[in-house]
Amino acid sequence: MNYALYGDGIHDDTNAIQQMIDTSCEVVLPIPKVHYLISRPLELHSNFRLVLPRFAEIRLARASNCVMIKNKTVDDYKKRSDSKLWATYLDYYSPDAPCENISVEGGIWNFNNKEQNPNPICGGEYEPEGYSGFGFLFYNVRGLNISSLTLKDPCNFSVTLDSVSYFNIENITFDFNDGNLYQCNMDGIHCCGNCHHGHIEKLFGTCYDDIVALNSQEGSCGPIHDITVRGIYTKGSYSAIRMLCASPKTAIRNIHISDIYGTFYHFGISIQHYYDTSERGLFENITIDNVCAAKSDRNLVKFYAVNNYRKYGVIDISGESDVKNLKITNLHRSEYIDAVPTILTFKEAKIDNFILDNITSQNHTESEGMPLILGDAEIKNVYASNLYEDGKKVDFK
């Protein structure tokens, strides 16, 4: 070793940890005296495993203004994407040099957002060539594992994946406190285009944006498919899951969502077009099962625009979205905050083959009426059974 590993929270440990990474296939860091401190991204190569003790903290140093960890880059500097957001990081990787079999396990990864530049998205100062505010960044990786760790205080997206396949993300705790500038854009797991064959399970804590985002129109801009999300446990989050697509070329297919428990101040699960394109978004074979969700008090969030959000449903389908084969089963809602519809659809959306089974709602608010299903979407081929509002069976045709 040419560099000392301090772990005292004062000296910079970046060089020491990076040297260990560069010269090994596995690094298991010892328990630090205080915490590890890094000032630039740790770069992981193929066939590599990084392990920290479960509650050992590794912190981003003041004014580092960078991601904490990413896969090894191969500088290329060619513009490759027509995505509207966050595409320039692609230019730092060669599409012909993918990484394989990377694992990050354990630790408290403290992004230390108050001591970094403000979130450039909500601050209105996003520069494509500059600071992104991301926490982890993995692009063009086949075989990725992120497990048994805590993600603390990101500037915006704590984990960003793009063109990542055959991945597992499991047993993650989100410890998000105040934002910088606001509690805004603070995603949990953010999947951009071309992510597929992934498993996301056991996510705990509160996020001030989507806990899981499947946004095919972003980054490298391509289809997302064959993803399972199982087990989200939260209170007072912005949302559990958002699926966003604005073109058939970037279709989102074969998504299975289950075991969602929590309260949300925006929506619980959303299927959206969102971007201003001339094409319609395409969503196929979406299954949502075993959801116990309700709305939460938006006034608890320290972000000035929260109270201007319109009242979305617990499940929301909006924009120019073509949804084929949507199945929602075992959805239960006991509501004390906002008597918005449980499932809300909008007239621009089209749903073909809509299966609903065992859905119940209980309205404990002071407002009368809380429709189980409301909206103007064009719906064909509905199969509905066991739908109950306040103990009374309802029909949906």
Side-chain angles (χ1 to χ4, degrees):
M1 291 287 294
N2 298 325
Y3 305 97
L5 184 67
Y6 294 98
D8 60 5
I10 299 172
H11 294 86
D12 193 331
D13 294 304
T14 311
N15 287 335
I17 298 174
Q18 188 64 56
Q19 185 179 52
M20 296 167 70
I21 291 169
D22 292 341
T23 56
S24 177
C25 292
E26 180 179 271
V27 170
V28 181
L29 292 174
I31 297 175
K33 297 175 184 176
V34 181
H35 62 256
Y36 295 110
L37 194 67
I38 62 172
S39 58
R40 66 177 190 277
L42 299 176
E43 294 197 9
L44 309 186
H45 55 80
S46 291
N47 304 308
F48 179 79
R49 179 174 180 242
L50 176 62
V51 182
L52 278 76
R54 177 62 186 89
F55 298 107
E57 182 175 325
I58 181 166
R59 183 179 299 184
L60 190 61
R62 183 179 183 274
S64 296
N65 302 315
C66 62
V67 302
M68 290 190 75
I69 198 166
K70 63 182 181 178
N71 56 299
K72 197 76 172 178
T73 60
V74 179
D75 293 347
D76 196 289
Y77 302 105
K78 293 180 181 178
K79 185 172 179 59
R80 298 192 181 89
S81 175
D82 59 357
S83 171
K84 293 186 176 182
L85 294 176
W86 312 301
T88 54
Y89 59 77
L90 305 179
D91 303 339
Y92 294 86
Y93 293 87
S94 170
D96 301 320
C99 284
E100 294 183 332
N101 305 325
I102 293 174
S103 185
V104 181
E105 304 166 35
I108 298 172
W109 293 80
N110 187 344
F111 305 115
N112 192 20
N113 63 11
K114 285 296 189 182
E115 294 193 319
Q116 311 304 322
N117 282 347
N119 171 5
I121 300 172
C122 75
E125 298 178 357
Y126 182 78
E127 296 179 4
E129 301 297 333
Y131 171 59
S132 69
F134 296 163
F136 289 7
L137 172 61
F138 291 97
Y139 169 73
N140 198 15
V141 179
R142 180 186 175 95
L144 173 68
N145 175 69
I146 302 173
S147 60
S148 301
L149 53 80
T150 296
L151 301 166
K152 180 175 175 60
D153 295 335
C155 277
N156 46 55
F157 308 161
S158 56
V159 175
T160 300
L161 308 183
D162 191 320
S163 303
V164 174
S165 59
Y166 302 96
F167 62 90
N168 177 68
I169 299 176
E170 184 176 5
N171 193 22
I172 307 298
T173 297
F174 303 109
D175 181 12
F176 293 4
N177 300 287
D178 286 345
N180 184 4
L181 305 165
Y182 315 104
Q183 291 172 320
C184 180
N185 307 123
M186 297 167 73
D187 270 13
I189 311 300
H190 191 104
C191 297
C192 296
N194 297 298
C195 289
H196 60 88
H197 292 95
H199 182 79
I200 302 171
E201 182 174 13
K202 296 179 183 176
L203 308 181
F204 305 89
T206 299
C207 292
Y208 302 111
D209 210 323
D210 310 313
I211 294 177
V212 175
L214 304 178
N215 293 358
S216 64
Q217 211 67 26
E218 297 175 359
S220 62
C221 198
I224 292 177
H225 59 90
D226 297 285
I227 306 289
T228 64
V229 181
R230 183 172 65 194
I232 291 178
Y233 309 87
T234 187
K235 180 180 179 180
S237 282
Y238 174 96
S239 70
I241 300 168
R242 185 203 308 256
M243 291 169 276
L244 186 158
C245 171
S247 168
K249 296 188 291 292
T250 61
I252 295 178
R253 294 186 171 96
N254 307 333
I255 310 299
H256 191 167
I257 297 164
S258 64
D259 303 335
I260 310 300
Y261 303 94
T263 58
F264 308 93
Y265 59 86
H266 202 39
F267 44 68
I269 299 171
S270 179
I271 295 173
Q272 287 185 290
H273 181 279
Y274 189 75
Y275 284 114
D276 183 14
T277 68
S278 59
E279 299 177 285
R280 295 181 63 84
L282 177 59
F283 304 82
E284 290 186 314
N285 307 327
I286 311 297
T287 297
I288 301 169
D289 179 56
N290 196 25
V291 176
C292 295
K295 304 291 282 188
S296 68
D297 188 350
R298 292 167 291 171
N299 293 319
L300 299 177
V301 183
K302 299 174 183 176
F303 176 36
Y304 70 95
V306 167
N307 290 320
N308 294 327
Y309 292 160
R310 69 178 171 82
K311 294 185 177 182
Y312 289 86
V314 173
I315 293 182
D316 192 81
I317 303 166
S318 63
E320 294 80 5
S321 301
D322 292 331
V323 185
K324 299 180 180 181
N325 305 324
L326 172 61
K327 183 178 182 180
I328 303 174
T329 59
N330 302 309
L331 166 62
H332 305 290
R333 177 187 181 194
S334 184
E335 184 59 58
Y336 290 87
I337 302 297
D338 284 333
V340 297
T342 298
I343 300 174
L344 183 60
T345 71
F346 292 85
K347 65 180 180 180
E348 298 88 354
K350 297 180 180 180
I351 306 172
D352 189 2
N353 290 337
F354 195 10
I355 299 173
L356 300 164
D357 182 48
N358 194 24
I359 299 175
T360 68
S361 66
Q362 292 284 336
N363 183 3
H364 301 287
T365 73
E366 296 179 356
S367 301
E368 292 185 3
M370 188 178 76
L372 197 68
I373 303 167
L374 182 68
D376 300 317
E378 179 184 321
I379 301 175
K380 295 189 292 186
N381 302 318
V382 177
Y383 307 89
S385 58
N386 302 312
L387 309 182
Y388 293 89
E389 289 180 18
D390 294 318
K392 297 180 181 179
K393 191 170 184 178
V394 297
D395 292 326
F396 178 67
K397 297 180 181 181

